[in-house]
């Protein structure tokens, strides 16, 4: 009854765990959820003000599919100011979150049998979108030795005549790892003389605690031409529900194809969000973002020390994002059963590493208040002690 394409998709483990946690909470259980990937902060006032203004002024009609001109201009300014990248307005498209941006990209470039290289741990959606569009995810397993990042040798070994694209994420969900300029330059060297696209997910760009964020497209002219930059405001500006994502590419034909696809699916994103995104992109909420980042850093430092002090657990300190990827292999390798048992027995929801392509880990989000984090880690410690 159903298409082969839709049957290739697997439900998101992140959403599955969150749903299970909600069900238990509805039953009256005391549940502490560390599975969601969204800031616990409110959207900055300057952004909300623009949204309210848009509503009161009746800005509620259809717009250009790619976005209103002043929004595209704001994205241009942001990319130039923050990433030293020059794009024209017809090289940018705004979508319903970065997830739709990625859907559009894969739909436009992936054919049946094409391979897309995806380093693991990866965000749960990447391989699913590749499979949906007929492609084959080629997973490169990383580990703590490389700080969960691919090396040039790993990349070389994964490339075949069928390779269509490389998926990069920096800072990473779920590990918080950041690719340095040197590391990106080494990857760029491997890709030189190939026709491989680079899809660079930079959604957590503003949430940096150590090191420096470098946009993949800024490495050199070759990377500039082959890279499709994906970004948004969900994480950096606490705007997950606003559904604002965008991508930029020097390949105008690619952007045209994505606009055509979006025109036949969702058309423009909602007009209120378009207006609200402009001050965010222009840096009007930067003070709010600094406060949020400082608090995330404080929590990051705490969870890093706390998890590494629990017998049987270990973790690398995240450089960015708001997750820590905890190794529990010394206790048990089955991350799904670990996460389900932890939820049932202690009321703590974390996401199993299996969902990110790396067994023996769980992702813990510290995008919640300090008291809840402290209580949750104590419950995890109790859980571990009972196992050991």
């Amino acid at each position: 009854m159903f298409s082969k394409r839709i049957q290739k998709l697997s439900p998101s483990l992140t959403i599955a765990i969150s749903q299970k946690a909600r069900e238990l909470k509805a039953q009256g259980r005391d549940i502490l959820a560390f599975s969601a990937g969204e800031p616990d902060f409110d959207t900055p006032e300057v952004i909300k003000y623009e949204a309210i203004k848009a509503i009161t002024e009746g800005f509620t009609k259809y717009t250009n599919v790619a976005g209103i001109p002043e929004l595209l201009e704001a994205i241009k300014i942001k990319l130039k100011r923050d990433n030293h990248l020059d794009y024209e307005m017809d090289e940018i498209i705004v979508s319903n979150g970065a997830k739709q941006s990625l859907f559009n990209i894969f739909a436009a470039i992936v054919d049946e049998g094409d391979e897309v290289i995806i380093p693991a741990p990866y965000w749960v959606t990447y391989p699913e979108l590749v499979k949906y569009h007929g492609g084959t995810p080629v997973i490169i397993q990383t580990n703590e030795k490389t700080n969960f990042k691919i090396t040039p040798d790993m990349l070389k070994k994964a490339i075949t005549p069928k390779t269509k694209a490389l998926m990069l994420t920096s800072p990473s969900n779920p590990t918080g790892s950041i690719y340095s300029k040197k590391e990106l330059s080494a990857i760029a060297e491997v890709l030189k003389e190939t026709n491989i696209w680079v899809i660079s997910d930079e959604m957590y760009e503003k949430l940096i605690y150590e090191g420096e964020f470098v946009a993949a497209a800024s490495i050199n002219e070759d990377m500039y031409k082959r890279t499709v930059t994906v970004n948004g405001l969900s994480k950096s500006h606490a705007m997950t529900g606003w559904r604002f994502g965008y991508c930029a590419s020097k390949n105008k034909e690619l952007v045209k194809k994505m606009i055509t696809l979006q025109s036949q699916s969702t058309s423009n994103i909602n007009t209120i969000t378009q207006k609200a995104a402009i001050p965010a992109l222009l840096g009007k909420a930067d003070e709010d973002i600094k406060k949020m980042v400082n608090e995330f850093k404080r929590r990051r430092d705490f969870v890093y020390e706390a998890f590494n002090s629990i017998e049987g657990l270990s973790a690398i300190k995240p450089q960015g994002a708001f997750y820590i990827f905890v190794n529990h292999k010394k206790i048990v390798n089955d991350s799904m059963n670990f996460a389900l048992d932890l939820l049932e027995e202690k009321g703590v929801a974390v996401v199993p590493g299996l969902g990110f392509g790396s067994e023996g880990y769980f992702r813990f989000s510290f995008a919640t208040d300090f008291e809840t984090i402290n209580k949750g880690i104590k419950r995890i410690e109790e859980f571990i002690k009972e196992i050991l």
Side-chain angles (χ1 to χ4, degrees), residues 119 140 149-156 159 166-169 179-192 194 196-198 216 219-220 222-223 226-227:
I140 299 178
K149 293 179 281 189
I150 59 168
T151 65
D153 284 342
M154 289 177 181
L155 179 57
K156 283 176 190 173
I159 293 173
L166 165 66
M167 188 75 232
L168 282 179
T169 318
Y179 282 92
S180 67
K181 186 173 183 178
K182 183 179 179 182
E183 288 165 335
L184 288 172
S185 296
I187 288 170
E189 193 62 29
V190 174
L191 296 173
K192 206 163 61 175
T194 73
I196 297 171
W197 294 92
V198 173
I219 292 300
N220 56 36
D222 182 67
M223 284 288 278
R226 74 170 70 242
T227 299

Side-chain angles (χ1 to χ4, degrees), residues 39 203-204 206-207 231-239 289 292:
M203 180 59 72
Y204 294 89
K206 298 289 184 182
L207 306 181
N231 210 326
L233 299 172
S234 293
K235 317 298 182 178
S236 60
H237 290 72
M239 292 177 68
I289 306 315
M292 184 169 71

Side-chain angles (χ1 to χ4, degrees), residues 120-293:
Y122 47 68
W123 182 42
V124 295
T125 297
Y126 299 148
E128 296 302 319
L129 291 184
V130 172
K131 287 189 291 183
Y132 181 80
H133 289 102
T136 302
V138 175
I139 308 302
I140 299 178
Q141 277 294 340
T142 67
N143 52 45
E144 288 97 329
K145 290 179 182 177
T146 62
N147 206 8
F148 296 114
K149 293 179 281 189
I150 59 168
T151 65
D153 284 342
M154 289 177 181
L155 179 57
K156 283 176 190 173
K157 289 174 184 175
I159 293 173
T160 76
K162 293 183 179 180
T163 304
K164 179 59 72 77
L166 165 66
M167 188 75 232
L168 282 179
T169 318
S170 182
S172 162
N173 170 11
T175 69
S177 299
I178 299 173
Y179 282 92
S180 67
K181 186 173 183 178
K182 183 179 179 182
E183 288 165 335
L184 288 172
S185 296
I187 288 170
E189 193 62 29
V190 174
L191 296 173
K192 206 163 61 175
E193 310 300 330
T194 73
N195 293 318
I196 297 171
W197 294 92
V198 173
I199 304 164
S200 184
D201 182 346
E202 301 174 359
M203 180 59 72
Y204 294 89
E205 168 195 6
K206 298 289 184 182
L207 306 181
I208 305 287
Y209 317 119
E210 261 134 39
E212 177 189 9
F213 172 78
V214 179
S218 70
I219 292 300
N220 56 36
E221 188 67 20
D222 182 67
M223 284 288 278
Y224 185 36
K225 290 177 180 177
R226 74 170 70 242
T227 299
V228 188
T229 298
V230 179
N231 210 326
L233 299 172
S234 293
K235 317 298 182 178
S236 60
H237 290 72
M239 292 177 68
T240 51
W242 295 74
R243 308 314 303 135
F244 179 83
Y246 65 89
C247 63
S249 170
K250 292 308 292 180
N251 190 308
K252 294 177 189 286
E253 282 304 309
L254 172 64
V255 176
K256 279 183 186 177
K257 298 298 182 191
M258 289 192 284
I259 291 172
T260 299
L261 172 61
Q262 193 163 299
S263 74
Q264 299 292 3
S265 55
T266 60
S267 298
N268 60 273
I269 75 165
N270 87 71
T271 55
I272 312 308
T273 292
Q274 290 193 57
K275 282 287 190 179
I278 294 171
L281 291 160
L282 295 179
K284 300 296 176 64
D286 281 1
E287 285 305 310
D288 297 273
I289 306 315
K290 283 179 186 175
K291 290 176 185 175
M292 184 169 71
V293 171

Side-chain angles (χ1 to χ4, degrees), residues 8 26 73 87 89 97 110 126 220 225 293 300 322 369:
K8 290 177 182 177
E73 181 65 28
Y87 290 98
M89 286 167 66
V110 173
Y126 299 148
N220 56 36
K225 290 177 180 177
V293 171
R300 186 280 308 255
F322 41 67
D369 67 276

